Amino acid sequence: MFRLSILPLRQACQNLIGHSDDPEELTGEVMNEEQFLLKVRGRNKTLVALVYHLHSWLSYMFGSYESASRYAKERQATSSTELVLFGGLFRRRYVFVEGLIAFAMAHKTDATEWKIAANESIKLLKNNAAHAPSNFQHMLLLLQAESAFLAKNNGDAAIYYDGAIEIAAENGYVQDEALASERAGIFHLKRDNTSTASHYYGQAHNAYLKWGAKRKASHLRLQCPF
């Protein structure tokens, strides 16, 4: 099982680097998503859930929020957050990523179901952040920033974004530092603060490159309005 579980993780890395035709689908040099699911479906829900989670995360990272939401729902239908790998490592990532997706969909649709799901993710991470702040505080802050952004509490949102960026950087979560910087850039751009937004976009681009996610860095540069 461990050997199989590594394949989707390796392919996700390949996608972020740029070694796949489709950045969202886990198909490339390491594995074929459709064939992998055919092999493990009905035999191992944990691995099926991992594939759906990684696909939803990649879709979110590349701005395909509807696709991300579909795969997040597939993940939730496949297993609870208790069925996770590596001693529960992915349990919090599931909550974190699915919370971000819910906030993105709440922005897009204003639907109550997404707002409820988004707020639930904050509740679930608060306990983890209280007990292990170096691992989870930045995740909680980013979700709180998204909540404040959605509620148009702009002052709080700006503070939460900066806190998420700072704490992620302090604790070596460069991928989350990059994401929080990107989200901060989007937030400030929505407020027509182009100078500040440009700063955060540049910070995100540099962090993605530091992480090794060249394709994501290129995607951000192409999406950047400056």
Side-chain angles (χ1 to χ4, degrees), residues 115-190:
K115 293 178 183 178
I116 292 172
N119 289 326
E120 184 64 23
S121 68
I122 291 176
K123 293 179 185 177
L124 290 170
L125 271 179
K126 277 185 176 179
N127 184 60
N128 296 124
H131 287 89
S134 62
N135 290 327
F136 305 115
Q137 186 66 28
H138 69 281
M139 297 183 190
L140 176 61
L141 286 168
L142 183 51
L143 291 175
Q144 289 173 322
E146 293 295 310
S147 179
F149 182 9
L150 184 65
K152 296 183 172 59
N153 295 329
N154 295 330
D156 288 345
I159 292 170
Y160 286 137
Y161 280 122
D162 284 343
I165 294 164
E166 180 180 357
I167 293 175
E170 285 177 358
N171 291 292
Y173 288 95
V174 64
Q175 72 276 26
D176 295 333
E177 176 192 358
L179 178 57
S181 298
E182 179 182 0
R183 294 303 305 172
I186 292 169
F187 162 70
H188 286 289
L189 186 62
K190 288 284 187 180

Side-chain angles (χ1 to χ4, degrees), residues 48-58 60 65 67-84 90-106 113-122 124-125 139 143 146 179:
V48 175
L50 177 62
V51 169
Y52 288 146
H53 164 69
L54 291 172
H55 196 136
S56 70
W57 173 59
L58 289 168
Y60 177 84
Y65 299 135
S67 175
S69 69
R70 288 195 302 272
Y71 278 92
K73 286 184 175 181
E74 291 281 4
R75 202 289 306 161
Q76 292 160 5
T78 300
S79 72
S80 73
T81 53
E82 300 303 313
L83 292 172
V84 289
F90 275 88
R91 181 181 300 122
R92 289 84 174 181
R93 296 302 299 189
Y94 287 178
V95 172
F96 176 53
V97 171
E98 289 167 14
L100 291 172
I101 292 168
F103 276 116
M105 292 302 294
E113 68 166 306
W114 292 116
K115 293 178 183 178
I116 292 172
N119 289 326
E120 184 64 23
S121 68
I122 291 176
L124 290 170
L125 271 179
M139 297 183 190
L143 291 175
E146 293 295 310
L179 178 57

